[in-house]
Amino acid sequence: MVPYPPVEPRLAEIMEAHREEIVDRLAELEWAADPRDPRHLVYDPVLVRPRAALFLESLIAGLGRGDWSIFDAIATTTGEVLRSGQRSVQELNERALSIITILIPLASAAEDRDELLVATFRTMQCLSGGIVAEHHGHLVEELERLNELKSLFMRLTSHELRGPLTVTRGYASLIAGGDFGDIPPAAAGAAGSIVSASETALSLIEGMSEVASLEGEAGVLKVTAVHLRDVVERAVADVLPDAEAKGVSIDRKIADGLLEVDAERCVIAVRNLIGNAIKYGAPAATVHVRAAVDRSHAEIEVEDEGPGIPDADRERIFERYYRTESTRASAIPGSGLGLYIVRRIAQLHGGDVRVAATSAHGSRFTFSIPARDA
Ligand code: ADP
């Protein structure tokens, strides 16, 4: 939306008085830009002068009578020109500003020069502001389009990769477990490495596909009424095989209540937190899950007895792909997307996730969201 200038009848008068001269200069400036530029061909020299005259006529009408359709038209044309790639925003801005160089000497010669100069600058500000606003809108549209494309690409790639990787992991795990007969220890070790590498790749793919769905159009929440207990229990059920494999027990204290949330996504968030507590915690340890809901908020706390998070990493672990230095040095598989997803899900609900700064041994994550969707 173009910010309209105030009515400036004197500026309109001076433009009218010097109509021929201004049109000549406008046409000259347009044509002088760079005649070798192939984009210039669309500016037929025969048309340049009448076009400049028409533009000036509309400007005079706009400034003199408060008929601002010229500014709307300029905004629309600017948008079209930018989208077609015929002119860059700098070029358009230069053209708008060039009018000022024509008007200043004319305004300076008049008796009421101060008011006229102010009016000139104000009008140019409006023209320029309109161009920048259009450009901004154009950039936002372009970024949204690219983001959609990126999300689509991520969804398709992850879908295509998941199948072959699951097969690879499955067979490697059978080979490592001796299901196809005895194999030398070195081969079993290699098969084990294939299992863990495909797990890392699968977790990256799962994460990327979840991020894509949260960032794309599908990022809209599907809110239903659900019990807090169901969300926690479903998340626990998902990670139970990992907990059992590591001898970890999951202790739950749930003060149940009804939520209005995207249940699927909340399960994903809680599952990521409990999954991390198992993954980064010690074997045979206990993971504590506490959940409660009051009239306004639901809070789910996941506490482990693992190594804890260094102070400097407390915020960074929620960034995309970030893993702490000790984790990167370890063989623990992961993508660094889990906590980014948890935070995104919490924020989409109008909540957040934090990690306690006090836990010297172990970590305590708190996922907190409004109980009812506003
Ligand atoms: P991933 O587990 O796939 O690496 P996350 O985004 O879930 O990715 O976690 C980011 C990083 O935060 C992990 O790599 C790890 O360094 C650290 N982290 C997360 N949860 C814990 C935890 N419970 N205990 C210790 N470190 C953790």
Side-chain angles (χ1 to χ4, degrees):
M1 177 71 192
V2 182
Y4 295 128
V7 178
E8 307 286 8
R10 277 290 292 130
L11 195 58
E13 275 169 38
I14 201 157
M15 284 184 181
E16 214 157 349
H18 299 272
R19 181 180 267 134
E20 290 303 302
E21 197 180 333
I22 297 175
V23 170
D24 282 346
R25 287 293 315 277
L26 279 176
E28 244 170 57
L29 280 170
E30 180 61 65
W31 200 235
D34 182 4
R36 288 162 308 173
D37 185 340
R39 289 174 302 181
H40 227 88
L41 294 175
V42 293
Y43 287 87
D44 185 336
V46 181
L47 288 179
V48 167
R49 211 177 177 285
R51 225 189 262 223
L54 202 65
F55 172 72
L56 186 68
E57 214 53 59
S58 324
L59 203 56
I60 291 172
L63 292 169
R65 297 199 308 270
D67 170 11
W68 304 129
S69 50
I70 172 73
F71 290 95
D72 283 336
I74 290 171
T76 314
T77 317
T78 303
E80 281 163 12
V81 171
L82 283 171
R83 267 178 275 277
S84 73
Q86 282 171 19
R87 289 275 184 272
S88 70
V89 68
Q90 285 90 342
E91 286 174 303
L92 287 175
N93 238 335
E94 271 165 28
R95 266 161 192 66
L97 292 175
S98 67
I99 301 175
I100 216 168
T101 63
I102 303 172
L103 290 179
I104 284 174
L106 300 176
S108 304
E111 261 175 33
D112 48 352
R113 66 188 286 267
D114 289 351
E115 289 96 86
L116 275 176
L117 283 175
V118 170
T120 308
F121 278 107
R122 241 195 243 156
T123 308
M124 283 315 99
Q125 231 176 1
C126 291
L127 278 176
S128 202
I131 290 171
V132 171
E134 269 301 314
H135 180 54
H136 184 245
H138 169 59
L139 283 184
V140 169
E141 268 173 35
E142 191 59 14
L143 284 177
E144 277 169 2
R145 196 182 62 81
L146 287 175
N147 201 30
E148 267 305 313
L149 260 180
K150 183 205 71 182
S151 298
L152 180 68
F153 172 75
M154 278 165 82
R155 273 200 298 277
L156 290 178
T157 339
S158 48
H159 183 77
E160 293 304 320
L161 287 174
R162 196 178 289 131
L165 271 168
T166 310
V167 175
T168 310
R169 180 186 57 179
Y171 279 123
S173 158
L174 291 175
I175 293 168
D179 285 59
F180 295 121
D182 288 343
I183 52 166
S193 300
I194 297 175
V195 173
S196 116
S198 23
E199 260 163 18
T200 298
L202 273 168
S203 111
L204 186 64
I205 284 166
E206 294 295 340
M208 277 167 60
S209 131
E210 189 52 35
V211 168
S213 87
L214 284 168
E215 288 182 345
E217 271 173 2
V220 182
L221 297 176
K222 295 184 193 75
V223 175
T224 55
V226 61
H227 281 277
L228 177 61
R229 181 181 299 281
D230 289 345
V231 171
V232 176
E233 291 302 340
R234 278 170 59 191
V236 170
D238 286 348
V239 295
L240 214 52
D242 297 333
E244 279 169 1
K246 213 171 158 177
V248 170
S249 48
I250 304 173
D251 172 63
R252 281 94 96 186
K253 287 197 175 52
I254 304 169
D256 198 17
L258 207 60
L259 310 176
E260 272 173 32
V261 294
D262 186 323
E264 287 306 318
R265 292 214 160 105
C266 285
V267 170
I268 291 174
V270 179
R271 184 216 292 154
N272 283 353
L273 292 178
I274 306 179
N276 278 352
I278 298 167
K279 191 161 69 167
Y280 297 106
T286 303
V287 169
H288 299 274
V289 181
R290 285 178 285 269
V293 56
D294 63 21
R295 285 166 68 89
S296 65
H297 270 76
E299 265 194 6
I300 302 170
E301 229 175 62
V302 178
E303 193 172 339
D304 63 54
E305 301 160 358
I309 315 269
D311 282 355
D313 286 328
R314 289 229 159 81
E315 264 310 299
R316 298 212 64 192
I317 53 171
F318 296 101
E319 289 170 15
R320 238 190 271 213
Y321 303 115
Y322 188 80
R323 311 191 79 203
T324 66
E325 207 177 309
S326 60
T327 306
R328 285 197 301 269
S330 74
I332 303 172
S335 60
L337 285 173
L339 290 177
Y340 171 78
I341 291 169
V342 176
R343 174 156 277 175
R344 179 107 188 132
I345 292 173
Q347 289 177 343
L348 279 175
H349 282 87
D352 205 356
V353 57
R354 306 177 300 278
V355 59
T358 49
S359 48
H361 292 290
S363 318
R364 189 171 68 237
F365 285 86
T366 309
F367 177 81
S368 158
I369 51 170
R372 308 215 169 251
D373 186 61

